[in-house]
Structure formats: C-alpha cells, structure tokens
Amino acid sequence: MSTKSTIAHGGNFHLYHEALDEDYVYLEIEGTKFEAGYNRVMLPIPVHVWEVIRRYPGIDLKYADRTDAEIRLYVEQKVDERLKLHEAANERSKGLVSLSGSLAFGTADQPRDQQIAAGIEYFTKVREHQRQIKQAIEELEQANCKR
C-alpha cells in the first residue's frame, strides 16, 4: 500500500504528501539535472512542471482559523456520525467501523464524551500545527515581497 498522496503529477514529475507527514511536500522529477552538496540539493524545475505544481496547495489549512467552538461542534458531529455507524454495523464489521477514525477520536465503542475529548485534543493540535505553517508561509511571503 502506498503512503503517497498525489497533489500533482505529469510524465516526469510527481508532487505528493507522505501519509502522516504534514510538514513536507515531496517532489520527484525524472530526467533532469541536479546539483548536490553537503546539506544542499539544487533541482531546476522545468517551467511547464512549475506552472502545474504552483496551482495546488501544499497543505489543507482548513482548521487554522477555526475557533474552539467550531472545533467542538465539528468533533461532536463526527462522533455522533461514528456512533450511528457503529450502532448500525453488524457484528462482523463492528471492529472495522470502530477503528475508522480512531487516530483522532479513539475507537467508536468508547463513550461519547471520551471520543469528544480525544477529538477536541486532536483537532486542537492540528489547528496549532496549521497555524504554525500558515505563519511560516506569511513570513516567507513578506520576506519575498521586500525584494
């Protein structure tokens, strides 16, 4: 199973995320020159490839501007959906349904309040991470505008 999530691709390039890695976007290019030195790689990106790549965001920042109340409401809705799915699942599929979304909420067979607490904690961390990335983007944009 691949851990790559494609953002953009073409005949000789692939721009992608790795699963569970929100800090980097990866670019593979075949058939082009590059220079490498200690702690440095220079890769000329063909302009037609760049024009395709630049149209895609490197990360979804949809939680960066959410308030605590918005996160709570989102989590409560998702937990309620999970509980309904878990309750409706037959015994054979309950285990799989229970694990779906468990990274953020815990398993679906846990009490609702525990799932909500876990979800709020998870999405608050996601929001903080996205805010840090958003701030870094803004700082880079400001630094590049001063040129």
Side-chain angles (χ1 to χ4, degrees), residues 3-19:
T3 60
K4 296 177 182 178
S5 176
T6 298
I7 297 168
H9 66 90
N12 67 338
F13 79 96
H14 188 191
L15 181 68
Y16 61 92
H17 282 288
E18 282 287 350

Side-chain angles (χ1 to χ4, degrees), residues 52-65:
V52 171
I53 291 171
R54 73 184 186 90
R55 293 184 178 122
Y56 295 92
I59 185 173
D60 182 356
L61 297 172
K62 68 183 175 187
Y63 297 103
D65 295 324

Side-chain angles (χ1 to χ4, degrees), residues 24-81:
Y24 296 94
V25 173
Y26 296 87
L27 175 63
E28 292 179 7
I29 295 185
E30 297 176 7
T32 191
K33 300 175 190 174
F34 70 94
E35 291 179 22
Y38 177 74
N39 211 19
R40 176 185 166 272
V41 173
M42 192 281 294
L43 178 68
I45 299 174
V47 72
H48 68 283
V49 173
W50 175 249
E51 287 301 317
V52 171
I53 291 171
R54 73 184 186 90
R55 293 184 178 122
Y56 295 92
I59 185 173
D60 182 356
L61 297 172
K62 68 183 175 187
Y63 297 103
D65 295 324
R66 290 209 178 165
T67 65
D68 288 346
E70 289 170 330
I71 287 176
R72 173 173 275 290
L73 180 61
Y74 174 77
V75 168
E76 288 174 349
Q77 290 171 345
K78 289 297 179 187
V79 167
D80 289 342
E81 289 172 14

Side-chain angles (χ1 to χ4, degrees), residues 22 59-72 119-135:
E22 290 289 325
I59 185 173
D60 182 356
L61 297 172
K62 68 183 175 187
Y63 297 103
D65 295 324
R66 290 209 178 165
T67 65
D68 288 346
E70 289 170 330
I71 287 176
R72 173 173 275 290
I120 289 171
E121 180 180 352
Y122 176 83
F123 285 103
T124 299
K125 287 178 182 176
V126 168
R127 176 182 63 189
E128 182 56 34
H129 184 251
Q130 289 184 4
R131 284 179 175 174
Q132 291 170 355
I133 291 171
K134 188 174 178 182
Q135 181 180 352

